Amino acid sequence: MKKDIKIYIAGHRGMVGSAIWRNLESKGYTNLIGRTSSELDLRNQQAVNDFYQAEKPEVVIDAAARVGGILANNDFPYQFLMENLQIQNNLIDAAHRFDVQKFIFLGSSCIYPRLAPQPLKEEYLLTGPLEPTNEWYAIAKITGVKACEAIRKQFGKDFVSLMPTNLYGTHDNFDLKSSHVLPAMIRKFHEAKIKSDKSPTPEALEGEGVELRRDEPVELWGSGTPMREFLHVDDMADAVVYAFENQLPDNLYNIGTGTDLTIKELAALIQRIVGHTGEIIWDSTKPDGTPRKLMDVSKMTNAGWKAKIGLEEGIRETYKWFLENEENFKEVKIK
Ligand SMILES: NC(=O)c1ccc[n+]([C@@H]2O[C@H](COP(=O)([O-])OP(=O)(O)OC[C@H]3O[C@@H](n4cnc5c(N)ncnc54)[C@H](OP(=O)(O)O)[C@@H]3O)[C@@H](O)[C@H]2O)c1
């Protein structure tokens, strides 16, 4: 692959897009282009066409989307459906018409049916009802997968879709109103630890013990029983760059680690890494989402790529990044 090939990364400031940018830069690619949403609103078809006409990208990586957790999906179904359709339709159709050589579309594991057998295989797409809490987002993403598949089938172009599992890592969204479960837990445990009064308990003062008060409790959503898989965003970027540098034989690939854990186990791991000593209260009135979501990653493994970053190592690195950026981490604002 020539190092000056022109690569447009849509959503290059986002968690995934910025990781892809860093990865490509580290591999010596010199002709990367990106636009912020205020420079180029991807919902605007004319603006997207003008951009492709002027810049003539040879490769397009679509990491732009309206993303968010259960709460944001539930409160803003129209934006999650319509804005994602607009963004991806404009990017895919312009890529087709302006002869982009390679297009990589990023979706999500929520495209698969809620009760599909586990682990999720690519062939389970459209075999049953979706998880209602994020069906708006999932339907948009399924449409993107099908659009790329149709272009591949009808015109023989190298358009490929990668479906990441839950991602976390550098540049994650720590805004509790719109964040995913893992960064939300990091922030909650951290803030409870910081707020806590670490003076000795009255019982300890009366006696001779030096027992300190425990940290403030942390309230977490749901029952803690659902099982989830988590992939570090640098691994995701590595998979995207692998898909860019190699011609994958099929149109749809799951990207994950192939291993999962319960939300309770995840909470215990993050609590230990953050050093929070208080109680965890599970609010079972809040929705759990899909009972289990584990990717079958054998197709991508057979194509030559697998994840390298372990969960504990990845969370430690993410918490370090959170501490370094605590004052100015990104808050996603719903307009
Ligand atoms: N995060 C996850 O756990 C996860 C899991 C599975 C799949 N994915 C997929 O990975 C992709 C990237 O997700 P992410 O987590 O990196 O999201 P993110 O951090 O929120 O970044 C999204 C990016 O999209 C851009 N964007 C949004 N609306 C736009 C618009 N109207 N016009 C132009 N740009 C717009 C934003 O640009 P500005 O910053 O300039 O506003 C931002 O850079 C998405 O397709 C998502 O579905 C993510």
Side-chain angles (χ1 to χ4, degrees), residues 120-144:
L120 296 163
K121 289 182 191 295
E122 289 84 349
E123 69 210 47
Y124 299 156
L125 185 65
L126 293 173
T127 56
L130 298 166
E131 159 60 37
T133 48
N134 57 17
E135 64 180 352
W136 323 97
Y137 178 75
I139 285 170
K141 291 292 185 185
I142 292 170
T143 309

Side-chain angles (χ1 to χ4, degrees), residues 102-275:
K102 178 139 201 168
F103 189 97
I104 300 177
F105 175 68
L106 301 187
S108 154
S109 58
C110 69
I111 62 166
Y112 294 113
R114 171 181 157 84
L115 297 175
Q118 303 284 327
L120 296 163
K121 289 182 191 295
E122 289 84 349
E123 69 210 47
Y124 299 156
L125 185 65
L126 293 173
T127 56
L130 298 166
E131 159 60 37
T133 48
N134 57 17
E135 64 180 352
W136 323 97
Y137 178 75
I139 285 170
K141 291 292 185 185
I142 292 170
T143 309
V145 171
K146 285 293 169 188
C148 291
E149 187 183 343
I151 288 178
R152 198 178 171 96
K153 184 176 151 90
Q154 193 176 336
F155 303 101
K157 292 186 179 178
D158 192 1
F159 280 40
V160 68
S161 298
L162 304 181
M163 296 304 109
T165 188
N166 303 297
L167 301 175
Y168 70 98
T170 312
H171 289 287
D172 216 329
N173 169 21
F174 291 93
D175 172 13
L176 294 179
K177 288 192 287 305
S178 58
S179 57
H180 291 118
V181 58
L182 192 152
M185 280 187 187
I186 290 182
R187 182 168 175 179
K188 284 182 175 184
F189 281 121
H190 173 75
E191 287 184 351
K193 182 178 102 168
I194 295 302
K195 264 197 266 156
S196 299
D197 174 4
K198 290 284 175 54
S199 57
T201 59
E203 298 76 24
L205 281 175
E206 274 178 26
E208 51 190 45
V210 286
E211 185 193 349
L212 296 182
R213 286 175 202 271
R214 295 180 81 200
D215 288 336
E216 286 198 358
V218 161
E219 195 175 287
L220 298 175
W221 273 36
S223 64
T225 56
M227 300 195 71
R228 291 290 182 272
E229 174 188 13
F230 297 92
L231 179 75
H232 194 279
V233 70
D234 288 346
D235 264 338
M236 180 61 209
D238 201 53
V240 170
V241 174
Y242 184 84
F244 151 63
E245 289 181 329
N246 297 276
Q247 200 158 358
L248 300 179
D250 207 353
N251 66 296
L252 174 60
Y253 290 85
N254 292 339
I255 311 293
T257 62
T259 54
D260 59 356
L261 76 175
T262 65
I263 293 296
K264 273 195 178 151
E265 287 166 337
L266 176 73
L269 178 60
I270 295 178
Q271 187 180 38
R272 178 161 62 78
I273 290 170
V274 171

